[in-house]
Amino acid sequence: MTDILKKRWVDYTVLGLSVFLVFCLVFDAYIVLPNLVAWLGRWHPLVLHFPIVLLLIAAFLGLTGRPIPHRLLVIAVLSALLTAISGFFLGKEAAVKGDLLFWHQWMGGAVALMASVWYLLSDRGLDRTVYVKGLQVVLLVLVGFTGHYGGMVTHGEEFLALPTSKKQKELPENPIVYTDVVARILDDKCVSCHNANKKKGELLMTNMAELLEGGKSGHTIVAGEPLKSELIGRLHLPLENEEHMPPEGKTPLTDAEIKILERWVALGASDTLRFDQLPKSEPLVALIKGLMEPDPMSKWADLPFVADSTLQNLGSDYLTIERVASNSNALSVDVYLPPEYDPAAIVAIERIAGHIVELDLSGLPIGGTEMDFVAKCQNLEWLEIDKTPIGDSELKKLASLKNLKFLKTYATSITDKSIPVFENMKGLKNLYVYQTGISKEALEKLQTKSPTLSVNYGVDPEIEAFFVAGDSVVVAK
């Protein structure tokens, strides 16, 4: 009599939990849990491994033709049902359920319900039939997929993927700062905890609108105010602080990545700002260039050594010479307009012409002499000669610069005669020619012959106005 009562108790418990689980899954959208019941869901990660092991043992015994202890199957079924129900409770904490969490819950529920059917068939003496063995095989597959989706919910979609050699995707020549730089950093370091499947802190970070909406801790980003932005503040907290992001166990952002996010927020957190719209003096330019060329040292490793003392002797108040990277022999030169301009100051640095990869002569009254010097800078990649009196004859001298990628010639006297020079610069990626004598028809032909060349006809007035008004960046010298 006692055994019968025990058996009925188990049967009723399995039936009751199964019905309750189905109710939870079907009417998920209409259920609101009391705080104490919701708290029980947090036990899900602690207990979920127990039924998995028991079900695997029971399935292994069944498929190999060995007897399955009745008590083992009872405990496995009851623990599977309780685990699935606690998982449902835990899932209610997510404001929005993504596809991963949705499928994880339904497959977990299917595992528990199939285990209940197994118990029912076994209780009827059908445990050695082909139907039960098929059920055991399906159960094993479901356990694997449920665990796989659970791992992706917790650790990100690629956590259980086969290890591969991750190659950093190259940035485009003229990246959109948010889409191509900021979003990549967030996807790599933040989105695994702030997505539709795992909305930690009620914060989503998968797109711009979600960033602006923020989470329960406040404004994730405040345009133009990095110090008031929750994202920046948490990144700067000490690693041992429990509020630091990413949390312990996750890969932290590099110093360069943090600075990129900080400067992006300081510049207004725009989702349309492009790299070529940033003034050269803006620190974000160097940071993004560092991502585009992660190892500039190897690129210019063959350049001859140039001593710091040489650079100091050649420089002056109106001519600055800097290394483009620490200990690199590649140089960046900026020349400013002195009270009395003399081209001799530029010609004097001819001895380091082969080391110069960036040169800014914008706004200077340069002519043929200075352009002869520029032509000797054979490693030059970035050249600014905008707002100068040069014309077609002077520009023609640049035809030998095969490494040139970035050229500003706007507000000069060049005309359609300079188009062949641009066409022969095969490495040129960005060209600025607004406020020149070049016709629209000539530019269209240039664009057709050089489809990879980005020809800039003008500057967005809103972008220009922003940088003019800013206290840390300017458009012109």
Side-chain angles (χ1 to χ4, degrees), residues 141-164:
V141 174
L142 267 178
V143 167
F145 275 101
T146 303
H148 176 65
Y149 273 81
M152 290 192 292
V153 168
T154 306
H155 301 289
E157 293 190 38
E158 297 184 357
F159 182 74
L160 295 178
L162 292 174
T164 57

Side-chain angles (χ1 to χ4, degrees), residues 58-77:
F60 173 78
L61 294 176
L63 291 173
T64 56
R66 301 175 186 179
I68 303 173
H70 180 72
R71 184 171 298 179
L72 171 65
L73 185 57
V74 169
I75 297 175
V77 173

